[in-house]
């Protein structure tokens, strides 16, 4: 499936953003930077094609220019371009590419991602810190740009921007993403919900429908995944507060409806295909029973039509007028992958088989795979979105490959992890990858390697140096003689006398730094 679509794009559409599979040509959609190729780059490595990954990575460095007079979606450019380049950069070592000294803290693909993200920063220069929806890559935000943007367009940056900041040492990106998240958090209603569209200057809610689908979805996703990737309890607390309100006001019989954000009254009793990510997200939090029931509801819709319509009326049990299409979205497949990993239930493999057969039967053309214009009669649309190669095919492949390195598997000994950082001091790629909302995997260990690891090594040097230097009691200030140094067994990374609480969240694939070695453990929380 991948190569039929990928080769069709290369042969008929490159360097345009997307393939038009019915007419076998291409079109620019999101910014004129060969978007499908950037989006598909890490999928090549997921499938094991190192040579093509290397070729395309070099090709993109030579051909893609972000200094162009184009109005680009801040949200889409971030998740597809910045996310795609970051992921490819972090996987470059596994692809056998020649790496710069100090990788993953430097490299050409990382610099490309940084250049793309820097073009987006003018959108965040607002009184609230919440970004505009569109920015001109050469001239910045247009004076006529609307201040109204969707919730996801404000809250879907922390993964890519924090990764950039921690890999490069430039805090600008993470600070911008956090400022936007903080401002958005303060706008929630008295019953704990957020709406669909907000004026980013006045902080007034323009669309007050609250739900988990289009316009909001990836905001919730990034709170959970950001909490995991960054070991950030504050982000997790935000999500848990939202989740309580969502369960209280929008959940009915394991469906999630749309309600008025201030009153909690139902406004739209519909299921949107973008909501199908929710069972997978719930599985990351361990809410497996609820996730499985919701997945079965969504799977019943798939069986009814051979795909998920964009909108589905729960009360009528049928599609909603003018929302009958299925653009080959990945969300239900994504949830199946997570739930199969969590439960081992072969129901999810059966769904994967249904999805493969359905897409092959309905959407395949001589020139790629086409979006389904109408699931009732399977009419096709002349478009193949880049996420088909970035997400849909990737999640299907990973669903059927439980031993894949992205799952922390692999029996190839040294192939299951890598060295990185200064003099190979970091352990990378040992599993625990976090997928951004475009299915681009990010390695939390690399972030640790480039930020905290260097700091810990310096602190360790300072400790060892201070221990090796003789000192007398009389030479020390009174404040130091009163409190004896704390035991080094608390944490090798702490200065004598300091105490630090263990991190609230921890990742099992952190580098085996001195701190973890002394503690003799990887997980440091009480659970």
């Amino acid at each position: 499936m991948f190569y039929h679509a990928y080769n069709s794009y290369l042969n008929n559409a490159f360097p345009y953003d997307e393939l038009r599979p019915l007419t076998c040509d291409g079109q620019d959609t999101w910014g004129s930077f060969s978007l499908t190729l950037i989006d598909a780059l890490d999928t090549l490595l997921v499938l094991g094609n190192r040579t093509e990954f290397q070729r395309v990575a070099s090709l993109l460095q030579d051909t893609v220019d972000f200094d162009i007079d184009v109005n680009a979606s801040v949200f889409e450019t971030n998740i597809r371009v910045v996310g795609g380049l970051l992921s490819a950069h972090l996987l470059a070592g596994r692809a056998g590419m020649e790496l710069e000294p100090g990788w993953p803290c430097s490299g050409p693909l990382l610099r490309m991602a940084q250049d793309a993200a820097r073009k987006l920063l003018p959108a965040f220069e607002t009184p609230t810190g919440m970004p505009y929806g569109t920015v001109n890559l050469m001239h910045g935000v247009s004076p006529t740009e609307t201040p109204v943007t969707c919730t996801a367009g404000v809250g879907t940056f922390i993964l890519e921007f924090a990764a950039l900041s921690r890999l490069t040492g430039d805090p600008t990106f993470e600070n911008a993403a956090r400022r936007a998240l903080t401002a958005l958090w303060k706008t929630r209603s008295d019953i704990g919900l957020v709406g669909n569209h907000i004026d980013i200057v006045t902080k007034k809610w323009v669309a007050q429908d609250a739900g988990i689908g289009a316009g909001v979805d990836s905001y919730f996703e990034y709170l959970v995944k950001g909490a995991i990737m960054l070991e950030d309890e504050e982000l997790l607390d935000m999500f848990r507060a939202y989740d309580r309100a969502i369960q209280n006001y929008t959940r009915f019989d394991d469906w999630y409806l749309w309600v008025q954000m201030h009153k909690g009254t139902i406004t739209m009793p519909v299921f949107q295909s973008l909501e199908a990510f929710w069972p997978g997200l719930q599985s990351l939090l361990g809410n497996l029973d609820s996730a499985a029931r919701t997945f079965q509801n969504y799977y019943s819709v798939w069986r009814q039509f051979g795909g998920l319509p964009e909108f589905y009326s729960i009360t009528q049990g049928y599609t909603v007028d003018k929302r009958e299409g299925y653009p080959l979205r990945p969300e239900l497949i994504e949830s199946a992958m997570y739930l199969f990993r969590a439960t081992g239930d072969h129901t999810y493999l059966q769904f994967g088989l249904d999805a493969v057969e359905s897409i092959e039967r309905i959407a395949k053309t001589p020139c790629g795979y086409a979006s389904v214009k109408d699931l009732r009669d399977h009419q096709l649309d002349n478009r193949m979105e880049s996420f088909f190669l970035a997400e849909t095919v990737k999640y299907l492949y990973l669903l059927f490959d439980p031993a894949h390195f992205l799952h922390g598997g692999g029996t190839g000994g040294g192939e299951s992890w890598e060295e990185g950082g200064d003099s190979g001091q970091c352990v990378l790629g040992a599993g625990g990858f976090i997928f951004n909302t475009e299915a681009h995997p990010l390695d939390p260990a690399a972030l640790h390697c480039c930020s905290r690891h260097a700091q810990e090594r310096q602190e360790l040097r300072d400790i060892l140096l201070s221990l090796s230097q003789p000192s007398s009691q009389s030479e020390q200030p009174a404040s130091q003689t009163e409190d004896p140094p704390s035991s080094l067994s608390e944490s090798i990374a702490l200065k004598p006398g300091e105490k630090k609480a263990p991190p609230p969240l921890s990742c099992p694939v952190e580098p085996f730094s001195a701190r973890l070695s002394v503690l003799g453990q990887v997980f440091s929380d009480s659970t």
Side-chain angles (χ1 to χ4, degrees):
M1 289 175 74
F2 175 83
Y3 286 112
H4 177 63
Y6 178 76
N7 291 332
S8 295
Y9 168 78
L10 284 184
N11 294 334
N12 300 285
F14 178 77
Y16 290 104
D17 280 341
E18 289 180 1
L19 170 70
R20 298 205 304 169
L22 301 184
T23 52
C24 286
D25 55 12
Q27 64 179 349
D28 281 333
T29 52
W30 294 111
S32 305
F33 24 62
S34 305
L35 181 63
T36 294
L37 205 54
I38 294 176
D39 235 358
L41 180 53
D42 58 20
T43 310
L44 286 165
L45 193 62
V46 170
L47 302 182
N49 193 335
R50 293 184 173 193
T51 54
E52 182 66 1
F53 179 95
Q54 293 175 17
R55 186 188 76 82
V56 172
S58 299
L59 177 66
L60 290 173
Q61 293 170 45
D62 295 336
T63 59
V64 173
D65 181 12
F66 297 117
D67 194 23
I68 49 177
D69 187 7
V70 166
N71 292 322
S73 163
V74 180
F75 169 83
E76 298 289 356
T77 304
N78 176 59
I79 66 170
R80 302 193 197 208
V81 177
V82 178
L85 292 170
L86 274 174
S87 177
H89 162 72
L90 293 173
L91 295 175
R94 192 173 293 272
M97 294 186 68
E98 186 175 341
L99 302 174
E100 288 187 3
W103 175 89
C105 312
S106 65
L109 293 172
L110 177 61
R111 286 189 289 274
M112 283 183 70
Q114 191 173 10
D115 288 344
R118 195 173 283 117
K119 293 291 186 179
L120 305 180
L121 286 178
F124 290 81
E125 295 170 5
T126 65
T128 62
M130 294 189 283
Y132 284 98
T134 304
V135 67
N136 185 285
L137 298 182
M138 184 175 286
H139 304 298
V141 178
S142 166
T144 60
E145 177 65 24
T146 175
V148 177
T149 190
C150 67
T151 307
V154 174
T156 309
F157 294 91
I158 189 65
L159 288 185
E160 297 84 1
F161 276 31
L164 260 180
S165 285
R166 299 192 183 198
L167 291 172
T168 64
D170 181 355
T172 307
F173 302 102
E174 184 171 349
N175 290 344
R178 287 190 179 274
R179 186 172 173 233
L181 281 177
T182 301
L184 188 56
W185 170 249
K186 292 177 180 176
T187 65
R188 66 196 188 283
S189 70
D190 291 341
I191 61 174
L193 296 171
V194 287
N196 201 276
H197 280 74
I198 191 170
D199 186 312
I200 54 102
V201 174
T202 66
K203 295 194 273 190
K204 293 275 196 307
W205 285 100
V206 177
Q208 299 188 0
D209 299 295
I212 61 170
V216 188
D217 49 357
S218 52
Y219 170 43
F220 297 139
E221 179 186 359
Y222 271 43
L223 290 178
V224 174
K225 291 181 176 179
I228 297 169
M229 186 177 84
L230 304 173
E231 300 182 2
D232 192 315
E233 189 176 24
E234 184 182 7
L235 296 180
L236 191 62
D237 288 342
M238 286 182 183
F239 176 79
R240 283 178 169 152
Y242 282 130
D243 197 30
R244 285 191 293 270
I246 288 165
Q247 302 300 331
N248 284 339
Y249 293 101
T250 77
R251 181 178 170 184
F252 295 88
D253 292 332
D254 298 305
W255 295 95
Y256 291 84
L257 313 182
W258 290 83
V259 302
Q260 212 281 341
M261 65 176 288
H262 297 289
K263 303 173 184 176
T265 52
I266 296 173
T267 57
M268 289 190 297
V270 299
F271 157 63
Q272 298 179 351
S273 61
L274 283 169
E275 297 170 14
F277 83 101
W278 188 257
L281 191 70
Q282 289 290 318
S283 78
L284 286 175
L285 298 161
N287 303 328
L288 294 179
D289 291 342
S290 168
R293 290 194 299 270
T294 299
F295 181 91
Q296 288 299 334
N297 283 345
Y298 299 168
Y299 189 8
S300 69
V301 179
W302 182 287
R303 284 195 295 261
Q304 187 176 349
F305 296 101
L308 289 186
E310 293 287 70
F311 282 36
Y312 176 83
S313 171
I314 297 168
T315 54
Q316 296 175 345
Y318 208 64
T319 58
V320 174
D321 188 42
K322 297 181 181 177
R323 293 289 189 276
E324 305 92 350
Y326 171 55
L328 308 182
R329 290 197 189 279
E331 282 76 17
L332 193 59
I333 301 164
E334 173 187 359
S335 284
M337 183 199 77
Y338 281 114
L339 284 165
F340 180 61
R341 294 284 302 155
T343 67
D345 186 339
H346 282 220
T347 300
Y348 304 107
L349 294 181
Q350 181 60 52
F351 163 71
L353 180 60
D354 290 351
V356 170
E357 292 177 343
S358 182
I359 293 170
E360 282 284 302
R361 185 175 67 253
I362 298 172
K364 189 173 186 178
T365 74
C367 194
Y369 291 83
S371 298
V372 182
K373 188 175 185 178
D374 192 329
L375 276 170
R376 296 170 302 177
D377 58 12
H378 296 164
Q379 289 182 57
L380 298 180
D381 204 0
N382 194 17
R383 187 173 185 189
M384 187 182 79
E385 290 247 27
S386 69
F387 60 64
F388 178 68
L389 292 178
E391 299 185 78
T392 308
V393 175
K394 183 186 293 165
Y395 282 134
L396 277 172
Y397 188 85
L398 291 173
L399 169 63
F400 291 113
D401 187 3
H404 197 277
F405 76 84
L406 286 177
H407 297 316
T411 56
E415 293 179 7
S416 63
W417 58 275
E418 308 161 87
E419 295 179 351
D422 184 24
S423 303
Q425 294 293 313
C426 298
V427 174
L428 307 175
F433 288 85
I434 304 298
F435 291 89
N436 87 334
T437 197
E438 191 78 1
H440 296 306
L442 303 172
D443 186 358
L447 277 57
H448 178 96
C449 178
C450 298
S451 56
R452 288 179 296 177
H453 184 61
Q455 179 185 345
E456 287 176 359
R457 289 180 63 209
Q458 184 58 50
E459 289 174 342
L460 178 59
R461 287 195 198 99
D462 293 344
I463 290 172
L464 295 176
L465 190 61
S466 67
L467 292 175
S468 66
Q469 292 176 341
S471 59
S472 64
Q473 289 277 339
S474 59
E475 294 173 353
Q476 295 179 357
S479 61
Q480 290 186 6
T481 58
E482 290 173 4
D483 296 317
S486 60
S487 168
L488 284 179
S489 64
E490 284 181 23
S491 170
I492 198 74
L494 298 180
K495 292 188 173 70
E498 285 186 339
K499 290 188 177 181
K500 188 188 296 182
L505 293 166
S506 59
C507 178
V509 294
E510 284 183 333
F512 301 135
S513 64
R515 176 170 63 89
L516 295 173
S517 299
V518 169
L519 286 174
Q521 60 188 22
V522 174
F523 289 96
S524 51
D525 60 18
S526 59
T527 59

